[in-house]
Amino acid sequence: MQPIMNTYGRLPVTFTHGKGAYLYDTEGKTYLDALSGIAVCGLGHAHPAVTEAIRSQAEKLIHTSNIYGIARQQELAEKLTALSGMDNVFFSNSGAEANEAAFKIARKYGHSKGVNIPTILVMEGAFHGRTLATLTATANPAAQAGFGPLVEGFQRVPFNDLQAAKDAVANNKNIVAIMMEPVQGEGGVTAATDEFMNGIRALCDEQELLLILDEIQTGNARTGRYFAYQYYNWQPDVLTTAKGLGNGVPIGACLAKGKAAEMLQPGNHGSTYGGNPLACGTACTVVDVIKNENYCERVTELSDRIRSGIRNAMEGTQYVSEIRGKGLMIGVKLNTQESAVSIMKSALESGLLLNVTAGNVIRLLPPFVLTNDEADQVVQKVCTQINAFFADQS
């Protein structure tokens, strides 16, 4: 029996090191990374400023405890609240933990209003994590199988169906919050429509509900804004993020505003490692690099280049039915089911890392540090693999 639990269907490659947009395996083979550790390494691998931030902080202080003040945590909180317009933040070690904090805020808010069974309205196609509560909020029966009983207090409606959300709220007075992703990553790289985003915000305002945005994957410049909701002229009540915040160093954050920011008090929540000096010091550098080097603008440029490149290369074929998502969350939907897994494996053999979130959706999450030439290589390699797959099917 292997000493590591068999929880991942691992691909047959092990990486030893990386640089920029490239990874290198134990055999010395080079891979162009269009996955970024699943939207984590937005600044690529071995970024010099991130490397130096880890080194310098590790020389000073890695961990104390949240029963004391942590200067780097305070610094990061100030940066994130200034960028987002939110009031305060709780730091955790992962996106799932950030979402757990959001659930506790919503439940405490519900109880403060006299609701005995506070319920959070969540979306079909959602992915919020693998703890029991986040798994319940996640719309994946396969992921939930074998782990019942799940947690009560969640109700689900179709994504991008505003009327269904309104009907659910009208018919269930226990609903105290609505939770959604601006772009569903695991759910097939499907973006919320402007009508849905604005409509959900208005519905929450009308019914005094908390709007919780899961920006675990969409945050930290991934969509072309620091946070995806910044495409609109409003803010959520609760915002969660992780993944790209530490560029690979584990960290999550749950930000809150207004009444939501007042819910958690001493003794209500905590984390041993959450917000430690090493993670926060690294994240401070990541935030600074993203901001100072205008990576939000660069993400938009790269997104346009990759999307138009794939669209032009696939013109005249019937292989691609849609290119969707936002920023450098790109989903290439193929016109046959279960085709993308084969393409993912053949792409690996060709030296390109990508991912599949649904049977026929190729997911591209490349780092922001791609050069134009590297972006064109991603396009060429993806299109070559798509053409080869369909040629074999004919």
Side-chain angles (χ1 to χ4, degrees):
M1 179 178 291
Q2 293 293 323
I4 297 176
M5 285 191 184
N6 188 30
T7 56
Y8 303 101
R10 298 182 193 271
L11 293 168
V13 62
T14 300
F15 300 111
T16 58
H17 62 288
K19 184 68 175 176
Y22 294 93
L23 284 167
Y24 304 87
D25 72 8
T26 51
E27 306 301 317
K29 184 175 178 179
T30 302
Y31 299 80
L32 182 56
D33 187 359
L35 186 59
S36 304
I38 312 184
V40 169
C41 299
L43 300 183
H45 305 285
H47 189 285
V50 175
T51 300
E52 174 58 22
I54 295 169
R55 185 201 63 78
S56 62
Q57 185 60 51
E59 285 183 342
K60 298 173 184 175
L61 189 65
I62 293 177
H63 176 78
T64 55
S65 168
N66 278 300
I67 65 174
Y68 309 113
I70 300 176
R72 300 312 302 269
Q73 185 180 118
Q74 178 69 26
E75 181 184 353
L76 180 58
E78 290 172 357
K79 290 178 185 291
L80 290 176
T81 52
L83 277 168
S84 65
M86 304 296 280
D87 290 338
N88 57 22
V89 55
F90 172 84
F91 290 110
S92 62
N93 309 287
S94 68
E97 291 177 51
N99 284 339
E100 289 277 358
F103 297 158
K104 291 180 78 170
I105 289 172
R107 287 192 172 192
K108 200 159 187 288
Y109 172 69
H111 284 294
S112 75
K113 297 176 64 178
V115 178
N116 292 325
I117 308 176
T119 299
I120 302 171
L121 193 67
V122 292
M123 305 296 145
E124 293 180 4
F127 186 92
H128 297 298
R130 293 184 182 274
T131 62
L132 279 177
T134 57
L135 187 63
T136 306
T138 291
N140 187 332
Q144 295 174 344
F147 298 109
L150 298 176
V151 180
E152 68 174 346
F154 295 91
Q155 182 176 334
R156 198 175 308 283
V157 294
F159 188 52
N160 277 331
D161 188 335
L162 183 57
Q163 189 58 52
K166 290 180 177 180
D167 291 344
V169 170
N171 294 323
N172 186 350
K173 298 306 179 183
N174 287 326
I175 292 175
V176 298
I178 300 178
M179 183 177 194
M180 58 181 285
E181 302 154 277
V183 182
Q184 291 188 334
E186 299 292 329
V189 199
T190 303
T193 64
D194 291 347
E195 177 190 12
F196 191 65
M197 289 286 284
N198 290 324
I200 291 295
R201 176 68 275 180
L203 176 62
C204 288
D205 289 340
E206 293 165 5
Q207 300 299 322
E208 295 186 345
L209 312 177
L210 298 183
L211 172 54
I212 305 170
L213 289 187
D214 178 337
E215 294 223 32
I216 305 302
Q217 190 167 146
T218 58
N220 307 294
R222 177 56 59 179
T223 69
R225 298 287 190 275
Y226 199 91
F227 292 110
Y229 76 82
Q230 291 171 328
Y231 279 97
Y232 307 95
N233 61 357
W234 47 259
Q235 293 160 313
D237 300 293
V238 181
L239 168 72
T240 60
T241 194
K243 286 190 179 288
L245 180 57
N247 208 63
V249 173
I251 186 171
C254 176
L255 294 90
K257 187 173 181 63
K259 52 186 176 285
E262 302 170 0
M263 287 298 115
L264 297 183
Q265 298 297 320
N268 290 155
H269 199 43
S271 171
T272 296
Y273 301 111
N276 72 43
L278 183 66
C280 287
T282 305
C284 281
T285 295
V286 171
V287 171
D288 287 345
V289 171
I290 289 173
K291 181 180 177 182
N292 295 338
E293 299 190 16
N294 297 318
Y295 272 118
C296 287
E297 294 180 15
R298 180 58 177 161
V299 164
T300 300
E301 293 172 358
L302 287 168
S303 174
D304 292 343
R305 190 179 188 95
I306 292 172
R307 290 166 191 272
S308 62
I310 295 173
R311 191 175 296 111
N312 292 338
M314 292 289 99
E315 188 175 7
T317 74
Q318 301 298 316
Y319 305 153
V320 175
S321 61
E322 186 182 4
I323 301 173
R324 63 195 189 194
K326 187 171 285 189
L328 287 180
M329 289 183 70
I330 301 172
V332 182
K333 184 179 180 181
L334 306 178
N335 67 6
T336 60
Q337 290 294 324
E338 305 306 325
S339 52
V341 172
S342 296
I343 291 172
M344 177 180 68
K345 293 178 179 178
S346 64
L348 179 68
E349 294 173 2
S350 76
L352 177 69
L353 305 182
L354 48 79
N355 186 234
V356 174
T357 58
N360 62 336
V361 180
I362 297 170
R363 178 168 60 164
L364 300 174
L365 302 165
F368 315 152
V369 297
L370 280 183
T371 64
N372 287 345
D373 179 64
E374 289 164 350
D376 293 344
Q377 289 181 52
V378 171
V379 170
Q380 184 269 324
K381 287 177 176 289
V382 167
C383 294
T384 295
Q385 295 307 315
I386 293 173
N387 285 325
F389 172 83
F390 283 97
D392 288 344
Q393 304 305 302
S394 61

